[in-house]
Amino acid sequence: MDSKRAGGIALTPGGVPARPGFGMAELMLLLVAAVWGGSYAVAKQATLQLPVLEFIALRFGLTFLVLLPALRPLVGPQWRQGLAVGGLLGANLLAIFVCETFGVSLTSASNASFLISLCVAFTPLAEWWLLGERPAPRVFAAAAISLAGAALLSLSAHASASSAGLGWGDALMVAAAVLRALMVCLTRRLAGRHALPALTLTAVQAGTMALGAAALALAVSGGAWHLPPATASFWWGMAYLVLLCTVFAFFAQNHAASRTSPSRVSLLMGSEPVFGALIAVWGFGERVGPGGWIGGAMIVAAAWWVTLPPRAAR
């Protein structure tokens, strides 16, 4: 259900005023971008120890177990509607994570973080197509600035990389970016069709993804299944991915998607490469040149600009 207007003020599907400034929803999205910025290196290390589809099934199976108490609101007349919405969004998320996880296993973490930020450019078009809402011109301008900044980050990262060509991993990350843009708009479109808490919806999505990934893994391997490694690094990484990058991140995204526009969600999430670069430098000893830091500043500036009220932005 699209946002409505009361007395000239935009309202979310829940009847809450859609503020154009920087509020709790925007802060949560920036925190999501921060934790997701470090997820690529962690996921890349994990998929060296476990096949991709089994890794996805384990990650979201653990997430579902953590969120079991959040399924209580499904006990009622809305359970069919809740399962239908959560299942649809979960299937979309499974496609995103299959593309992302295979992609990051086949390309560099820095290249993956750049390519996934292409969803910043795709989201205004998806918003226009799916929701019939033409974004303001400055949203398109901010998306262009964000993409240019991400390109500088990528060029800086490739300056010291052994390979800089496009391959299957890069193509999968572009596909994931398109699916992310569609996901934001689909979440907004379905927001008015259920009254489920964001955490309950996240639990249904996690269950859908775990079952789907397990079925795909068994089909691809002919029924074979690997035990996860017993190394501390693998399980610390899994805890980071489950608790921060999945439970908190999906809850925050589901919470914020009905409280701000899809383009603003995508642009704020577009700051992810900046956090990825900071984590890579301080956590993994990678080097980012001056062009990379300039690109990061451009992404942050674009995300900040799009959160300003219309008058302040002008």
Side-chain angles (χ1 to χ4, degrees):
M1 183 181 296
D2 295 339
S3 61
K4 301 177 181 178
R5 290 188 174 271
I9 300 176
L11 300 179
T12 66
V16 181
R19 298 177 182 271
F22 192 95
M24 182 57 67
E26 286 77 11
L27 176 61
M28 291 175 70
L29 290 170
L30 281 179
L31 290 175
V32 171
V35 297
W36 274 359
S39 68
Y40 297 103
V42 175
K44 190 174 182 68
Q45 292 300 315
T47 53
L48 294 176
Q49 305 175 66
L50 195 67
V52 168
L53 290 172
E54 295 178 28
F55 162 76
I56 295 174
L58 177 62
R59 172 178 175 178
F60 289 98
L62 292 173
T63 302
F64 180 74
L65 292 177
V66 170
L67 294 179
L68 273 177
L71 294 175
R72 190 172 301 171
L74 286 179
V75 181
Q78 294 192 24
W79 69 272
R80 290 184 179 178
Q81 195 173 44
L83 289 178
V85 172
L88 178 60
L89 295 177
N92 192 336
L93 273 173
L94 177 59
I96 292 172
F97 273 85
V98 167
C99 291
E100 276 192 10
T101 312
F102 272 111
V104 78
S105 70
L106 298 173
T107 188
S108 67
S110 59
N111 206 26
S113 66
F114 158 62
L115 291 170
I116 200 65
S117 70
L118 288 171
C119 67
V120 173
F122 297 148
T123 300
L125 300 176
E127 184 179 5
W128 196 358
W129 173 45
L130 290 177
L131 303 180
E133 299 175 4
R134 189 181 191 281
R138 68 186 173 106
V139 172
F140 290 99
I145 294 172
S146 183
L147 280 175
L152 282 175
L153 270 176
S154 179
L155 289 173
S156 176
H158 282 317
S160 57
S162 58
S163 62
L166 291 175
W168 282 110
D170 302 307
L172 287 170
M173 295 307 299
V174 173
V178 173
L179 290 170
R180 269 203 194 188
L182 294 175
M183 180 70 189
V184 174
C185 296
L186 189 61
T187 302
R188 171 74 178 277
R189 188 170 187 173
L190 297 176
R193 300 183 184 179
H194 67 87
L196 293 174
L199 209 56
T200 302
L201 186 61
T202 302
V204 177
Q205 290 172 301
T208 302
M209 295 175 70
L211 289 175
L216 287 174
L218 290 172
V220 169
S221 65
W225 194 269
H226 300 83
L227 290 175
T231 60
S233 61
F234 177 86
W235 288 105
W236 275 115
M238 186 61 70
Y240 175 82
L241 293 171
V242 168
L243 298 177
L244 293 180
C245 299
T246 307
V247 175
F248 166 71
F250 286 1
F251 165 76
Q253 197 168 18
N254 287 331
H255 175 81
S258 62
R259 289 165 172 79
T260 188
S261 73
S263 295
R264 285 157 60 84
V265 171
S266 187
L267 279 163
L268 286 167
M269 298 298 293
S271 60
E272 186 179 322
V274 179
F275 293 110
L278 292 173
I279 292 170
V281 169
W282 289 326
F284 296 93
E286 293 186 9
R287 298 182 61 185
V288 177
W293 294 119
I294 293 173
M298 291 171 65
I299 295 173
V300 172
W304 171 77
W305 181 33
V306 82
T307 61
L308 291 175
R311 287 186 180 180
R314 286 196 297 267

